[in-house]
Amino acid sequence: MAHTDRITRRVLRREIAGTIGLLTDEHDFRAMRRYRSFTFDDHAAYLHQVEALLRERAAQGTHTTVALFDPEEYADFCSAAGLDPDASASRTRFTAELAAGGPTLPYEGQPLADLLPALVAEAVRQATWEYASSLLARLGSCATCGEDLGRAAFTRASRLLRRVLETAPPGDRHLVCSVTGSPETLLSVLHADEDIDGTPHIDEAEALEFTGVLALGLATHSPGGLVMRISPPSGPNRIHGWRLRGYGLEPLTAGEVFDAYCTDAESGDLISPESNVDYCAPPDLGDDHLPPGHHH
């Protein structure tokens, strides 16, 4: 009976998914060393041991999610929950909270050197979306028609993004949207790789964040722009650009796109253009024009 129980527990372990809270940089690692129960003393060795554990679990067929462990958020969590931060059980509870709603990525056998920047990028993406969505929610309703301004801007941004992708020449697309505001500039990136049938394949979370940033720029009439690089199956890359203007996108001329890419933003000095790249005016977005009447 005892032997059967051990086998059963071993089988059950393979059915349990786990989450590891990862300290990605030296600064965060040093912050955790103030706790006696955190017994690691070298960040490089810590990362090496984490990677070995991830590989071991993967070899056993166990799924593991990696979460970004932030010491400041951890301290706040412990304070709010009345937990002792200098206890491994508290770190476990915080990691469980991260698994439910924090920035996480599944471990799929990739080197930790590839996983770390991807995890940080996921955390930035999530923070950008939360920040943009909170600002959109604060805009309230239109004084003239009563429509929710944030929701209307998001709908408008979704339509614009769809038109940008639909009218783009064939190839993989890399889009960047920047919105200058107070207290900081928001930047969002969207990858749209082309499937065999020509349909752009996009990550829904990336698209949500990108649309939110674009919507915020439209709703607040903030300075900003959208740039798209297209990498076709053959031939040079093409770069197109728009500036945020009013409640829409105004196309940049080929010369303006060239100037934007070939001028140092800080010094104003000219930068050599990339080889095998064409700086082009963007395709016509067609029916993007707003009808006459009331607009936010």
PDB file of all heavy atoms in Angstrom, residues 6 19 25 70 88 96 104 137 146 148 157 196 207 221 224 240 248-249 268 271-272 287:
ATOM      1  N   ARG A   6       3.326   5.992  -2.914  1.00  0.00           N
ATOM      2  CA  ARG A   6       4.480   6.754  -3.409  1.00  0.00           C
ATOM      3  C   ARG A   6       4.408   6.919  -4.922  1.00  0.00           C
ATOM      4  O   ARG A   6       4.709   7.995  -5.454  1.00  0.00           O
ATOM      5  CB  ARG A   6       5.785   6.055  -2.996  1.00  0.00           C
ATOM      6  CG  ARG A   6       6.152   6.227  -1.532  1.00  0.00           C
ATOM      7  CD  ARG A   6       7.617   5.881  -1.305  1.00  0.00           C
ATOM      8  NE  ARG A   6       7.871   4.480  -1.612  1.00  0.00           N
ATOM      9  CZ  ARG A   6       7.737   3.486  -0.729  1.00  0.00           C
ATOM     10  NH1 ARG A   6       7.358   3.745   0.514  1.00  0.00           N
ATOM     11  NH2 ARG A   6       8.013   2.236  -1.081  1.00  0.00           N
ATOM     12  N   THR A  19       5.089  27.677 -10.511  1.00  0.00           N
ATOM     13  CA  THR A  19       5.541  29.020 -10.880  1.00  0.00           C
ATOM     14  C   THR A  19       6.782  29.359 -10.078  1.00  0.00           C
ATOM     15  O   THR A  19       6.833  29.130  -8.861  1.00  0.00           O
ATOM     16  CB  THR A  19       4.451  30.072 -10.608  1.00  0.00           C
ATOM     17  OG1 THR A  19       3.271  29.728 -11.324  1.00  0.00           O
ATOM     18  CG2 THR A  19       4.922  31.456 -11.041  1.00  0.00           C
ATOM     19  N   ASP A  25      17.614  40.824 -12.263  1.00  0.00           N
ATOM     20  CA  ASP A  25      18.832  41.643 -12.295  1.00  0.00           C
ATOM     21  C   ASP A  25      19.503  41.714 -10.928  1.00  0.00           C
ATOM     22  O   ASP A  25      18.928  41.373  -9.896  1.00  0.00           O
ATOM     23  CB  ASP A  25      18.546  43.049 -12.836  1.00  0.00           C
ATOM     24  CG  ASP A  25      17.569  43.837 -11.973  1.00  0.00           C
ATOM     25  OD1 ASP A  25      17.754  43.873 -10.749  1.00  0.00           O
ATOM     26  OD2 ASP A  25      16.621  44.418 -12.525  1.00  0.00           O
ATOM     27  N   ASP A  70       9.461  41.198  -8.113  1.00  0.00           N
ATOM     28  CA  ASP A  70       9.875  42.567  -7.815  1.00  0.00           C
ATOM     29  C   ASP A  70       9.932  42.749  -6.299  1.00  0.00           C
ATOM     30  O   ASP A  70       8.904  42.639  -5.617  1.00  0.00           O
ATOM     31  CB  ASP A  70       8.896  43.559  -8.427  1.00  0.00           C
ATOM     32  CG  ASP A  70       9.332  45.006  -8.243  1.00  0.00           C
ATOM     33  OD1 ASP A  70       9.350  45.485  -7.094  1.00  0.00           O
ATOM     34  OD2 ASP A  70       9.653  45.657  -9.251  1.00  0.00           O
ATOM     35  N   SER A  88      10.107  32.180   3.722  1.00  0.00           N
ATOM     36  CA  SER A  88       9.945  31.584   2.397  1.00  0.00           C
ATOM     37  C   SER A  88       8.474  31.364   2.049  1.00  0.00           C
ATOM     38  O   SER A  88       8.091  31.449   0.883  1.00  0.00           O
ATOM     39  CB  SER A  88      10.708  30.252   2.336  1.00  0.00           C
ATOM     40  OG  SER A  88      10.226  29.358   3.327  1.00  0.00           O
ATOM     41  N   ALA A  96       2.563  33.020  -5.995  1.00  0.00           N
ATOM     42  CA  ALA A  96       1.248  32.532  -6.418  1.00  0.00           C
ATOM     43  C   ALA A  96       0.374  33.680  -6.918  1.00  0.00           C
ATOM     44  O   ALA A  96      -0.379  33.531  -7.889  1.00  0.00           O
ATOM     45  CB  ALA A  96       0.561  31.807  -5.267  1.00  0.00           C
ATOM     46  N   THR A 104       4.178  36.976 -16.538  1.00  0.00           N
ATOM     47  CA  THR A 104       4.700  35.613 -16.520  1.00  0.00           C
ATOM     48  C   THR A 104       4.938  35.122 -17.941  1.00  0.00           C
ATOM     49  O   THR A 104       4.351  35.638 -18.897  1.00  0.00           O
ATOM     50  CB  THR A 104       3.728  34.636 -15.830  1.00  0.00           C
ATOM     51  OG1 THR A 104       2.494  34.604 -16.571  1.00  0.00           O
ATOM     52  CG2 THR A 104       3.440  35.053 -14.401  1.00  0.00           C
ATOM     53  N   ALA A 137      -9.598  55.404 -18.742  1.00  0.00           N
ATOM     54  CA  ALA A 137     -10.780  55.291 -17.885  1.00  0.00           C
ATOM     55  C   ALA A 137     -11.089  56.606 -17.175  1.00  0.00           C
ATOM     56  O   ALA A 137     -12.254  56.891 -16.848  1.00  0.00           O
ATOM     57  CB  ALA A 137     -10.575  54.178 -16.863  1.00  0.00           C
ATOM     58  N   GLY A 146     -22.291  62.385 -24.332  1.00  0.00           N
ATOM     59  CA  GLY A 146     -22.338  61.431 -23.235  1.00  0.00           C
ATOM     60  C   GLY A 146     -21.592  60.136 -23.477  1.00  0.00           C
ATOM     61  O   GLY A 146     -21.575  59.259 -22.617  1.00  0.00           O
ATOM     62  N   ASP A 148     -18.628  57.426 -23.684  1.00  0.00           N
ATOM     63  CA  ASP A 148     -17.405  57.188 -22.930  1.00  0.00           C
ATOM     64  C   ASP A 148     -16.215  57.491 -23.824  1.00  0.00           C
ATOM     65  O   ASP A 148     -15.999  56.842 -24.844  1.00  0.00           O
ATOM     66  CB  ASP A 148     -17.362  55.738 -22.455  1.00  0.00           C
ATOM     67  CG  ASP A 148     -16.171  55.454 -21.565  1.00  0.00           C
ATOM     68  OD1 ASP A 148     -15.051  55.368 -22.102  1.00  0.00           O
ATOM     69  OD2 ASP A 148     -16.355  55.321 -20.348  1.00  0.00           O
ATOM     70  N   ALA A 157      -8.986  53.578 -32.357  1.00  0.00           N
ATOM     71  CA  ALA A 157      -7.622  53.086 -32.514  1.00  0.00           C
ATOM     72  C   ALA A 157      -7.609  51.680 -33.097  1.00  0.00           C
ATOM     73  O   ALA A 157      -6.751  51.347 -33.932  1.00  0.00           O
ATOM     74  CB  ALA A 157      -6.903  53.107 -31.164  1.00  0.00           C
ATOM     75  N   ILE A 196       1.367  31.928 -44.147  1.00  0.00           N
ATOM     76  CA  ILE A 196       1.530  31.470 -45.522  1.00  0.00           C
ATOM     77  C   ILE A 196       0.454  32.045 -46.436  1.00  0.00           C
ATOM     78  O   ILE A 196       0.712  32.386 -47.594  1.00  0.00           O
ATOM     79  CB  ILE A 196       1.514  29.928 -45.571  1.00  0.00           C
ATOM     80  CG1 ILE A 196       2.700  29.361 -44.776  1.00  0.00           C
ATOM     81  CG2 ILE A 196       1.558  29.423 -47.018  1.00  0.00           C
ATOM     82  CD1 ILE A 196       2.728  27.859 -44.685  1.00  0.00           C
ATOM     83  N   ALA A 207      -1.297  43.372 -29.149  1.00  0.00           N
ATOM     84  CA  ALA A 207      -2.240  44.215 -29.881  1.00  0.00           C
ATOM     85  C   ALA A 207      -3.085  45.050 -28.917  1.00  0.00           C
ATOM     86  O   ALA A 207      -3.393  46.221 -29.195  1.00  0.00           O
ATOM     87  CB  ALA A 207      -3.135  43.353 -30.762  1.00  0.00           C
ATOM     88  N   HIS A 221      -5.142  63.972 -27.810  1.00  0.00           N
ATOM     89  CA  HIS A 221      -4.535  64.806 -28.860  1.00  0.00           C
ATOM     90  C   HIS A 221      -3.062  65.088 -28.541  1.00  0.00           C
ATOM     91  O   HIS A 221      -2.574  66.202 -28.733  1.00  0.00           O
ATOM     92  CB  HIS A 221      -5.304  66.122 -29.028  1.00  0.00           C
ATOM     93  CG  HIS A 221      -6.750  65.918 -29.396  1.00  0.00           C
ATOM     94  ND1 HIS A 221      -7.152  65.607 -30.675  1.00  0.00           N
ATOM     95  CD2 HIS A 221      -7.874  65.950 -28.649  1.00  0.00           C
ATOM     96  CE1 HIS A 221      -8.476  65.474 -30.706  1.00  0.00           C
ATOM     97  NE2 HIS A 221      -8.930  65.670 -29.480  1.00  0.00           N
ATOM     98  N   GLY A 224       2.610  62.441 -31.156  1.00  0.00           N
ATOM     99  CA  GLY A 224       3.019  61.049 -31.239  1.00  0.00           C
ATOM    100  C   GLY A 224       3.106  60.590 -32.671  1.00  0.00           C
ATOM    101  O   GLY A 224       2.892  61.365 -33.612  1.00  0.00           O
ATOM    102  N   HIS A 240       7.335  52.911 -43.281  1.00  0.00           N
ATOM    103  CA  HIS A 240       6.267  53.900 -43.434  1.00  0.00           C
ATOM    104  C   HIS A 240       6.019  54.583 -42.093  1.00  0.00           C
ATOM    105  O   HIS A 240       6.322  54.029 -41.037  1.00  0.00           O
ATOM    106  CB  HIS A 240       4.968  53.229 -43.899  1.00  0.00           C
ATOM    107  CG  HIS A 240       5.105  52.421 -45.145  1.00  0.00           C
ATOM    108  ND1 HIS A 240       5.334  52.970 -46.373  1.00  0.00           N
ATOM    109  CD2 HIS A 240       5.034  51.074 -45.348  1.00  0.00           C
ATOM    110  CE1 HIS A 240       5.397  52.025 -47.286  1.00  0.00           C
ATOM    111  NE2 HIS A 240       5.235  50.849 -46.689  1.00  0.00           N
ATOM    112  N   GLY A 248      -6.854  61.238 -35.665  1.00  0.00           N
ATOM    113  CA  GLY A 248      -6.485  60.239 -36.655  1.00  0.00           C
ATOM    114  C   GLY A 248      -4.991  60.182 -36.895  1.00  0.00           C
ATOM    115  O   GLY A 248      -4.184  60.673 -36.098  1.00  0.00           O
ATOM    116  N   LEU A 249      -4.635  59.566 -38.017  1.00  0.00           N
ATOM    117  CA  LEU A 249      -3.242  59.401 -38.425  1.00  0.00           C
ATOM    118  C   LEU A 249      -2.996  60.175 -39.710  1.00  0.00           C
ATOM    119  O   LEU A 249      -3.736  60.018 -40.682  1.00  0.00           O
ATOM    120  CB  LEU A 249      -2.925  57.915 -38.651  1.00  0.00           C
ATOM    121  CG  LEU A 249      -2.992  56.999 -37.438  1.00  0.00           C
ATOM    122  CD1 LEU A 249      -2.794  55.548 -37.862  1.00  0.00           C
ATOM    123  CD2 LEU A 249      -1.946  57.388 -36.402  1.00  0.00           C
ATOM    124  N   GLY A 268      20.651  66.111 -33.349  1.00  0.00           N
ATOM    125  CA  GLY A 268      20.208  66.648 -34.630  1.00  0.00           C
ATOM    126  C   GLY A 268      21.147  66.323 -35.780  1.00  0.00           C
ATOM    127  O   GLY A 268      20.895  66.735 -36.921  1.00  0.00           O
ATOM    128  N   ILE A 271      22.349  60.742 -39.589  1.00  0.00           N
ATOM    129  CA  ILE A 271      22.769  59.354 -39.405  1.00  0.00           C
ATOM    130  C   ILE A 271      22.699  58.673 -40.768  1.00  0.00           C
ATOM    131  O   ILE A 271      21.767  58.889 -41.537  1.00  0.00           O
ATOM    132  CB  ILE A 271      21.853  58.630 -38.403  1.00  0.00           C
ATOM    133  CG1 ILE A 271      21.836  59.351 -37.057  1.00  0.00           C
ATOM    134  CG2 ILE A 271      22.291  57.178 -38.229  1.00  0.00           C
ATOM    135  CD1 ILE A 271      20.819  58.784 -36.092  1.00  0.00           C
ATOM    136  N   SER A 272      23.676  57.856 -41.073  1.00  0.00           N
ATOM    137  CA  SER A 272      23.675  57.158 -42.353  1.00  0.00           C
ATOM    138  C   SER A 272      22.435  56.268 -42.467  1.00  0.00           C
ATOM    139  O   SER A 272      22.086  55.558 -41.510  1.00  0.00           O
ATOM    140  CB  SER A 272      24.928  56.288 -42.490  1.00  0.00           C
ATOM    141  OG  SER A 272      26.089  57.083 -42.460  1.00  0.00           O
ATOM    142  N   ASP A 287     -10.904  54.208 -46.390  1.00  0.00           N
ATOM    143  CA  ASP A 287     -12.125  54.723 -45.762  1.00  0.00           C
ATOM    144  C   ASP A 287     -11.901  55.157 -44.322  1.00  0.00           C
ATOM    145  O   ASP A 287     -12.829  55.229 -43.536  1.00  0.00           O
ATOM    146  CB  ASP A 287     -13.232  53.672 -45.802  1.00  0.00           C
ATOM    147  CG  ASP A 287     -12.863  52.417 -45.023  1.00  0.00           C
ATOM    148  OD1 ASP A 287     -11.734  52.348 -44.499  1.00  0.00           O
ATOM    149  OD2 ASP A 287     -13.718  51.513 -44.935  1.00  0.00           O
TER     150      ASP A 287
END
